[in-house]
Amino acid sequence: MVRWLDRVLYCEFVPKKWGFIMENQITKSKKEIIRIITILILVTTIVKYIEFLFIRTDQTIIADNVITKIFCIIATLVAMKICGLKLADIGLKYKNTFKYIGCGLGLGIFTFAISYGLEVALLAGMGKAPHLSMYITNFGLSGATSEVSLSALAVLICVIVNIINVLAEEGMFRGFILKVVTERWGFKTGNYLQAFLFGIWHIVMCVLGVYDGQMSVGQAVIFAIGYVVLAGILAIEWGTCVSMTGVLWVGLSEHFFNNFIGNFLHVVSSTGTDEFQIIRIVLSNFLSLGIVLWINKRNQKKAGLAVGAEVRGE
C-alpha cells in the first residue's frame, strides 16, 4: 500500500509542476488577505456555533450540522470571487481525479484497518468480547451518539452529508486559505496556519460538551487541546498532499472516508460502544501523517536528484 502511494504521488512531485504553489494569481495585498481570512473564519464560526448550540441539526435524521457546511461553501465562493480565484485555482480541477481519490481512500482504508484491528485486539485481551457493528451515528467526544438504524436512506444521507462536509472544509482550509497564504507568505506558513485554524474550528465540540453538561470546563479545555492537535495533524497531512499533487482530491477523499467510517462502523463490547474511539482515531491520524511525510521526503530527494542531473546535463 505504501509503495503504491509513493508511486502515485511521485508523478506530480517535480518543482515545475507545482502549479498550486508557484502560480501568483492573487492581486490582493497582505493586509487585504488577512482581513478576508479573518472575516471568513469569524462569520462561518458564528454560524457554526448558532447551529451547534441552538438549531441542533445533528440531533435530527441528518445527524450532522449541515447548515454550517453549506454556508461555508457559499462563504468560500464569495471570498474566492473577491480574490479573483476559480475552483481550479484552489485545487478543485479535473486532474487525475479518480487516481487521487483512490489514493486518499486507500490511505484511509489502510490506516483504519490497522487501528480498528488493534482496538478489537485490545478489547479482546481485556475479555470484553468485542465485535464490529454497522449503523449510522454522529460523532461524540466519548463515543458514538444519536444512533440511527442502518437503512439505505440513512447511509445515503450519511454519504451526502459527508460529501458536503469535506467540500466545505477542504475547500475553505486546504483550498482557499492555503492558496492565498502560500502565495504571500510561502507554503510552510500557509500549511501551519490553515492547520491551526482547522484545529480551532473543531473546538465547538468541546463547547457543546460543556453546554450539554457532558463535561466540566476543565475537561473541555483538555479535549480542546487534543482537538487542535489531532485536527491540526490531519490538516498538515492534507495540506502536504495538496503541495505534492496540486489538487484537493487526496485529502478530500481521505477526509470523507475518515468521517464516514466513524459514522458507520463501530466497535461494540460487553461494556459499551466505541470506548476507545479516540485512541483509534489518534492512531490512524499518526499513521496517515507518517506515511505522507515519508513519501513527501522521499519525493523531495528524488526531485532534487532529478534537478541535479538535469543541471549536469545527464
Side-chain angles (χ1 to χ4, degrees):
M1 172 61 71
V2 176
R3 290 183 179 179
W4 174 72
L5 288 170
D6 190 11
R7 289 196 300 270
V8 170
L9 294 179
Y10 175 67
C11 65
E12 297 299 330
F13 202 94
V14 180
K16 65 182 180 180
K17 292 186 179 181
W18 288 359
F20 181 84
I21 297 176
M22 301 301 290
E23 294 175 8
N24 187 12
Q25 301 170 327
I26 306 298
T27 59
K28 300 296 181 181
S29 67
K30 290 184 177 181
K31 288 185 178 180
E32 289 175 312
I33 289 175
I34 292 173
R35 188 181 304 117
I36 291 170
I37 291 175
T38 300
I39 294 174
L40 176 64
I41 293 295
L42 182 62
V43 172
T44 54
T45 298
I46 290 173
V47 172
K48 183 170 188 173
Y49 274 79
I50 291 174
E51 182 177 18
F52 268 73
L53 299 180
F54 305 111
I55 300 177
R56 307 304 293 266
T57 317
D58 61 312
Q59 294 183 352
T60 68
I61 190 174
I62 298 176
D64 203 310
N65 293 284
V66 70
I67 295 175
T68 298
K69 311 304 166 54
I70 294 174
F71 183 82
C72 283
I73 292 174
I74 296 172
T76 300
L77 289 173
V78 172
M80 288 170 54
K81 181 69 174 179
I82 293 173
C83 292
L85 296 174
K86 299 179 181 179
L87 292 177
D89 297 324
I90 66 167
L92 284 173
K93 48 190 173 183
Y94 300 108
K95 178 185 179 183
N96 298 315
T97 303
F98 294 106
K99 179 177 71 174
Y100 288 133
I101 288 176
C103 186
L105 292 176
L107 188 59
I109 292 170
F110 178 71
T111 56
F112 268 103
I114 294 174
S115 61
Y116 269 101
L118 290 177
E119 181 181 2
V120 170
L122 177 61
L123 288 168
M126 298 170 65
K128 295 190 175 184
H131 66 276
L132 296 176
S133 181
M134 292 180 289
Y135 54 87
I136 302 299
T137 69
N138 59 3
F139 176 76
L141 287 170
S142 56
T145 60
S146 302
E147 177 179 342
V148 177
S149 59
L150 188 63
S151 67
L153 177 60
V155 173
L156 178 62
I157 291 174
C158 184
V159 169
I160 293 173
V161 167
N162 276 310
I163 289 175
I164 294 173
N165 176 63
V166 297
L167 286 173
E169 294 185 344
E170 294 303 311
M172 186 164 76
F173 292 98
R174 261 70 65 192
F176 176 76
I177 294 176
L178 180 58
K179 167 71 176 181
V180 296
V181 176
T182 292
E183 291 198 1
R184 285 291 178 264
W185 290 275
F187 172 71
K188 183 178 290 186
T189 299
N191 205 24
Y192 283 132
L193 178 61
Q194 65 84 16
F196 174 74
L197 293 175
F198 189 63
I200 297 297
W201 173 258
H202 287 82
I203 288 179
V204 65
M205 296 295 295
C206 307
V207 176
L208 183 62
V210 175
Y211 183 80
D212 287 341
Q214 295 179 349
M215 63 176 67
S216 66
V217 174
Q219 290 174 319
V221 171
I222 295 173
F223 272 108
I225 295 172
Y227 252 121
V228 172
V229 172
L230 292 178
I233 286 172
L234 286 174
I236 289 173
E237 175 202 337
W238 294 332
T240 302
C241 288
V242 173
S243 78
M244 295 168 68
T245 64
V247 293
L248 292 175
W249 301 119
V250 176
L252 192 149
S253 55
E254 189 191 3
H255 191 168
F256 168 82
F257 180 82
N258 289 1
N259 289 353
F260 179 78
I261 200 69
N263 294 142
F264 178 75
L265 186 61
H266 307 275
V267 179
V268 180
S269 72
S270 57
T271 56
T273 300
D274 291 331
E275 297 168 277
F276 296 146
Q277 183 182 51
I278 294 299
I279 297 176
R280 178 206 312 158
I281 294 172
V282 170
L283 177 58
S284 177
N285 288 2
F286 274 101
L287 280 173
S288 186
L289 175 66
I291 291 170
V292 169
L293 292 182
W294 178 76
I295 294 174
N296 183 50
K297 186 175 181 179
R298 276 175 53 86
N299 289 348
Q300 283 182 323
K301 185 177 180 180
K302 291 177 183 178
L305 291 173
V307 172
E310 183 177 345
V311 171
R312 293 190 301 270
E314 298 178 2

